[in-house]
Amino acid sequence: MTERSTLAGGATLAITGSGGSGAVTAGLILLAAVGRAGDYGLLGRSAGPQIRGGESAAMLRFGPQPIECMGDRFDLLVGLDWENVARFADELPLDRNSLILTDAQAEPIPEILLRSGAQVRSLPWKALADAETEGRVNMVALGMVGAMLGLPLDALESGARATLGGKGGRVLTPSLDCIRSGYAAADAASVPPSAFAPPVARWNISGNEAAGLGAVRGGVRFVAAYPITPASEVLEWLAPRLELLGGSLLQAEDELASINMIIGSSFGGVPSLTATSGPGLSLMVEGLGLAVASETPVVVVNVQRGGPSTGIPTKSEQSDLNIALYGLHGDAPHLVLAALGIRDCIDTVEWAVGLAEHLQTVAIVLSDQILGQSRAIIDPPGDRAFGAGERAHLHRLIAQDADPDHRRYRPMSDGVSPMALPGLPGGMYTAEGLEHGPGGAPSSRAIDHAEQLEKRLHKLTGFDYGPGWAEIRGEGDHLLLTWGSSAGPVFEAAERLRASGVPTRAIALRLLAPLQREALLEAIGSAGSILVVEQNQTAQCFAYLHSQQALPRHARSYARPGPLPLRPAEIMRALTDRDGREEI
């Protein structure tokens, strides 16, 4: 980015600073301002391993089209200070066309950033802040950067009110004064004419908030969970809203308690959900087996982070796929879904709740830190964007009348038998983890075991999931295949390849289990070049698809662990690099 850029096509920028500098707050205001100015935007966050406190970075990309991933490089780096910024250096790719803004009184810019060749400009942020009552450097910088980006001042002020309004006038008033001071002090020669579109009513939402919205839209009215990064915001968003809807959220003492609480609530007829991350999911495995065996519908939203164990809780990775697919003991068929973007978190979680209720089983929804803790400006969601053939209102089959011969687990043509709720006369049955016969009585008979195994499997594999199993974009002999949050950079890579004359399709899997093998093979067709893209070390999805005989032998893998996000350019290189990793 040069100082005279018009920014008509948008830009990518980062704001960094030490703990308490307000880098993330400035980013949140800027995102809100971009939305109010008529553009789309995506804001990602990066923090150190301490989760709270310490240095942080807000990374923003905006433009006139929906933004689904960060770009390959940053146009602008705003350094509120340079303390520990080296920890973010590999997350902030700069080049000679980038611009670094720094305070004139700040410490020297670290050499690791200067090596990029980026231009540098020193600005009087602290001096301007000191001239204001309760001046704030981050707000002065925000005002100046907003002016350089061509943002209208009223959009910045509106964004500040939306972000800081809840903190009261003692915070909002001096912040607005500083924003105006910085805006007025921006060099007029560096301020491009505004290229933003007329304002349009759009949503500003994070992936975790979107997952919570999907849950309540699906009918969830009870949540029990134990806080864990990066899933806690799902619970924070749900707690007050569930209460307004007549539901409730309970913070359990640990993940074992939370999974058993939602099994009990669901057994009583209330659609129930928990949210966690990798270490929590592993603790829930025994309870999930109980839900499968007792055919009690529950949903787990697993917001993945870098693992194993405590791993890197503030960074993203797609390395919980194996435990989601295979972690349950015994033959325990269940659903595994993955949200494909922030907007898609709404649809996928809502769909998962409906499927779990209808099929009376466990649904694990895989999100991750980069989805959950990022915010985006999106168009307001209507009905689910996918699923023309999907049943709009999936619900649980409840036994309505007293039946002296009620057999809870009797085999049915579709495997789904009516579930009696507690208190229904004649609807009593035994529900537990032991294998059972059709009436629920514990049984160790081979015939009962085989019959119930088949019932639990058939109801999942025999169901028509409609077109929601994947999102498919573009045409071409080259194919990029992915799942979850990798969809954003894959879609952009495919679009760029098509624009450069390389016809490329992209398939992003939303329903991973049961795998829609026949539909996937049909979608793959006769693609001459196939690359499976994912963010983990051992190519977990690639291996899974091969195990299901759902990939041609010439398919290749591009799997890279976190925490650095996948970027479109590296995916483009991987597709065209014939020296990439060959099939397993």
Side-chain angles (χ1 to χ4, degrees):
M1 171 187 171
T2 70
E3 295 180 51
R4 300 305 300 251
S5 297
T6 63
L7 301 171
T12 304
L13 63 105
I15 305 173
T16 67
S18 56
S21 65
V24 173
T25 299
L28 290 170
I29 294 174
L30 196 54
L31 177 70
V34 163
R36 282 161 172 74
D39 261 10
Y40 294 90
L42 175 67
L43 178 75
R45 296 163 50 183
S46 184
Q50 62 273 53
I51 298 180
R52 289 192 180 276
E55 67 284 351
S56 59
M59 294 162 279
L60 173 66
R61 186 182 184 192
F62 65 90
Q65 304 296 327
I67 308 295
E68 297 183 285
C69 68
M70 286 294 161
D72 300 320
R73 53 177 290 279
F74 283 87
D75 300 296
L76 181 65
L77 173 60
V78 181
L80 300 177
D81 60 57
W82 300 113
E83 185 176 344
N84 293 326
V85 73
R87 294 183 180 182
F88 298 119
D90 54 0
E91 299 180 52
L92 304 170
L94 304 171
D95 58 29
R96 55 187 297 187
N97 293 316
S98 304
L99 176 63
I100 299 176
L101 300 183
T102 184
D103 182 70
Q105 300 180 38
E107 296 294 319
I109 300 173
E111 178 62 26
I112 193 171
L113 298 176
L114 295 175
R115 284 189 212 127
S116 65
Q119 304 169 60
V120 175
R121 187 176 177 193
S122 298
L123 297 165
W125 296 333
K126 188 171 187 311
L128 290 170
D130 289 344
E132 299 288 338
T133 303
E134 299 185 43
R136 291 160 166 77
V137 169
N138 64 329
M139 293 296 107
V140 170
L142 175 62
M144 198 168 288
V145 170
M148 296 176 66
L149 296 175
L151 276 166
L153 178 59
D154 61 355
L156 281 171
E157 293 183 358
S158 177
R161 290 190 181 93
T163 307
L164 302 176
K167 296 182 181 296
R170 294 189 61 180
V171 173
L172 179 60
T173 299
S175 296
L176 288 172
D177 290 341
C178 290
I179 289 172
R180 294 171 188 136
S181 173
Y183 199 92
D187 182 356
S190 70
V191 178
S194 177
F196 290 88
V200 176
R202 296 197 174 102
W203 284 22
N204 182 334
I205 192 169
S206 75
N208 279 341
E209 293 170 351
L213 176 59
V216 296
R217 282 174 51 142
V220 166
R221 292 297 181 265
F222 179 73
V223 172
Y226 185 73
I228 184 171
T229 299
S232 298
E233 291 95 338
V234 178
L235 316 174
E236 293 166 3
W237 189 90
L238 277 169
R241 291 163 178 85
L242 276 175
E243 187 174 352
L244 291 173
L245 293 168
S248 59
L249 181 146
L250 180 64
Q251 179 173 321
E253 63 266 38
D254 57 33
E255 288 85 352
L256 285 80
S258 63
I259 188 64
N260 287 304
M261 286 178 179
I262 67 169
I263 291 172
S265 174
S266 180
F267 181 75
V270 180
S272 301
L273 173 147
T274 188
T276 189
S277 193
L281 180 62
S282 64
L283 291 172
M284 294 179 183
V285 164
E286 184 178 358
L288 292 174
L290 170 61
V292 169
S294 62
E295 300 194 51
T296 306
V298 294
V299 176
V300 180
V301 176
N302 182 59
V303 188
Q304 301 168 92
R305 62 193 203 180
S309 188
T310 309
I312 313 178
T314 57
K315 308 290 185 183
S316 204
E317 200 165 64
Q318 294 179 297
S319 51
D320 288 348
L321 179 60
N322 278 347
I323 188 174
L325 290 170
Y326 307 117
L328 278 64
H329 55 272
D331 291 315
H334 59 284
L335 303 166
V336 179
L337 302 95
L340 305 181
I342 291 177
R343 167 68 176 79
D344 196 61
C345 285
I346 303 173
D347 296 334
T348 297
V349 174
E350 181 182 358
W351 194 34
V353 174
L355 289 174
E357 288 289 312
H358 181 80
L359 298 170
Q360 300 175 18
T361 191
V362 168
I364 300 174
V365 182
L366 297 173
S367 176
D368 54 41
Q369 185 272 336
I370 206 166
L371 279 187
Q373 295 192 319
S374 295
R375 303 191 70 85
I377 304 296
I378 65 170
D379 292 315
D383 293 335
R384 269 167 281 183
F386 58 87
E390 169 215 358
R391 300 178 199 183
H393 301 290
L394 296 166
H395 55 79
R396 193 184 310 186
L397 182 61
I398 301 293
Q400 298 294 329
D401 301 314
D403 181 358
D405 191 33
H406 178 72
R407 292 184 297 160
R408 166 69 178 95
Y409 301 111
R410 67 179 181 272
M412 308 289 284
S413 59
D414 61 359
V416 180
S417 49
M419 182 176 180
L421 300 183
L424 177 70
M428 292 182 292
Y429 68 99
T430 300
E432 57 168 292
L434 287 171
E435 190 57 281
H436 43 257
S443 171
S444 59
R445 298 174 62 200
I447 188 172
D448 285 334
H449 187 47
E451 187 175 77
Q452 294 301 316
L453 286 173
E454 177 59 23
K455 178 180 187 296
R456 296 190 289 260
L457 177 63
H458 172 63
K459 67 179 180 180
L460 268 60
T461 58
F463 183 73
D464 179 6
Y465 294 89
W469 64 275
E471 184 164 340
I472 304 172
R473 297 186 189 177
E475 298 290 340
D477 187 52
H478 301 276
L479 174 63
L480 292 170
L481 178 57
T482 191
W483 65 281
S485 69
S486 297
V490 162
F491 286 147
E492 181 164 325
E495 184 176 351
R496 286 196 214 171
L497 285 164
R498 289 195 296 273
S500 65
V502 182
T504 305
R505 284 177 285 157
I507 300 175
L509 299 173
R510 181 181 288 112
L511 178 63
L512 290 151
L515 184 69
Q516 301 303 286
R517 177 177 174 274
E518 298 304 321
L520 176 58
L521 286 172
E522 182 178 354
I524 291 173
S526 58
S529 172
I530 304 169
L531 188 70
V532 181
V533 180
E534 56 192 313
Q535 193 186 28
N536 56 63
Q537 182 190 25
T538 53
Q540 295 181 17
C541 186
F542 184 67
Y544 170 60
L545 295 178
H546 266 300
S547 75
Q548 299 290 305
Q549 299 182 315
L551 280 181
R553 289 194 57 80
H554 66 276
R556 295 181 295 130
S557 167
Y558 183 69
R560 177 174 65 67
L564 298 181
L566 291 169
R567 299 190 185 278
E570 69 175 298
I571 297 170
M572 294 168 67
R573 288 193 297 270
L575 180 67
T576 54
D577 178 10
R578 301 304 304 175
D579 295 328
R581 189 185 304 180
E582 296 298 334
E583 65 270 19
I584 60 174

